[in-house]
Amino acid sequence: MARPRKPLLSRDRIVETACALVDAEGLAAVSTRRLAAELGVSGPSLYNHFRTKDQILEAVADSVSAQVDLSMFDAADGRDWRTALHDWAVSYRAALTRHPNIVPVLARGPGRRPAGLRLADAMFGAMVDAGWPPAQATSIGALMRYFIMGSALGSFAGGFVDDETAYDPADYPHLGQAHLLADRQQLIDDRAFETGLRALLDGLALQYEQVGGAAGGSSAPAVTP
């Protein structure tokens, strides 16, 4: 009787396995030896697809960027620039919160990662097409990247312990309810993100009125969001 064949090793399998490992145990858990063991192959076989651990992590990061919805930036979509930017930011944050341990790699910028570059190109192009001067569209890309990445790096609400005695009113007179924050972590963090996002968009809308929504302006390189 023929022995069952092992699944063929592929780039996608390596990336999926590495992503699961990063999600479960963090960046430090990834090594070629550990991945080979998880995949049931010999270590050298990984080198047919990736030469280094860093290349694997870059591929994992790009797979997360590929999860971000970009449909709102299509010319035929019909959403105005503000709605598109809002919906994109929500999708971007959702992808990062599903894979928070890979955020430090994403925060380095896209380098040569294809999905990361497509993400930057779509957002920057949509802002310029909407009438933002290229230099300001670049700044918007940088601003949104700072805000979204920062929101995914940690939980504000989760940073408080659920022990009421930790917040003695004699020392912290305004933190009497702080022990309740951790239990409502997702609600509070989601609400905080939406509050900040709307504040950013309100400010950008004021700037948009000042530039008149006129296309043009000095050329500037896109800063990847």
Side-chain angles (χ1 to χ4, degrees):
M1 182 175 179
R3 297 170 61 185
R5 296 177 59 189
K6 291 182 179 179
L8 191 64
L9 186 64
S10 67
R11 184 182 179 90
D12 287 344
R13 276 193 69 212
I14 296 170
V15 172
E16 289 172 7
T17 302
C19 187
L21 195 54
V22 171
D23 288 345
E25 301 182 32
L27 296 172
V30 178
S31 68
T32 53
R33 178 179 295 181
R34 177 72 184 276
L35 280 174
E38 294 285 336
L39 290 161
V41 300
S42 63
S45 63
L46 297 178
Y47 297 134
N48 293 323
H49 302 278
F50 297 99
R51 299 304 302 172
T52 66
K53 168 185 170 178
D54 284 345
Q55 287 184 355
I56 295 172
L57 292 177
E58 287 287 311
V60 171
D62 210 39
S63 72
V64 173
S65 293
Q67 297 174 23
V68 181
D69 183 14
L70 301 178
S71 65
M72 66 287 294
F73 295 138
D74 291 342
D77 182 83
R79 275 173 272 192
D80 62 85
W81 71 265
R82 175 177 174 145
T83 303
L85 203 58
H86 173 277
D87 295 348
W88 169 78
V90 170
S91 176
Y92 200 165
R93 175 176 178 257
L96 299 189
T97 54
R98 288 192 295 270
H99 308 282
N101 291 336
I102 199 65
V103 172
V105 179
L106 284 163
R108 301 172 191 163
R112 297 178 182 271
R113 298 194 297 265
L117 291 171
R118 283 193 294 271
L119 186 153
D121 181 72
M123 181 271 169
F124 179 79
M127 294 303 101
V128 172
D129 290 345
W132 284 99
Q136 286 178 277
T138 295
S139 295
I140 292 170
L143 169 66
M144 298 304 292
R145 178 172 177 268
Y146 300 151
F147 178 65
I148 296 166
M149 292 278 183
S151 74
L153 283 173
S155 165
F156 170 80
F160 292 84
V161 299
D162 60 1
D163 179 4
E164 187 174 4
T165 64
Y167 307 104
D168 189 329
D171 296 321
Y172 315 108
H174 305 295
L175 297 181
Q177 302 295 308
H179 64 286
L180 302 175
L181 293 176
D183 190 49
R184 304 172 187 177
Q185 178 176 328
Q186 183 172 349
L187 173 64
I188 293 170
D189 290 345
D190 288 350
R191 189 169 59 197
F193 179 79
E194 188 66 26
T195 298
L197 179 57
R198 291 188 180 280
L200 286 177
L201 294 174
D202 286 346
L204 289 174
L206 292 175
Q207 292 186 34
Y208 189 72
E209 293 176 4
Q210 294 171 5
V211 302
S218 60
S219 177
V223 174
T224 303

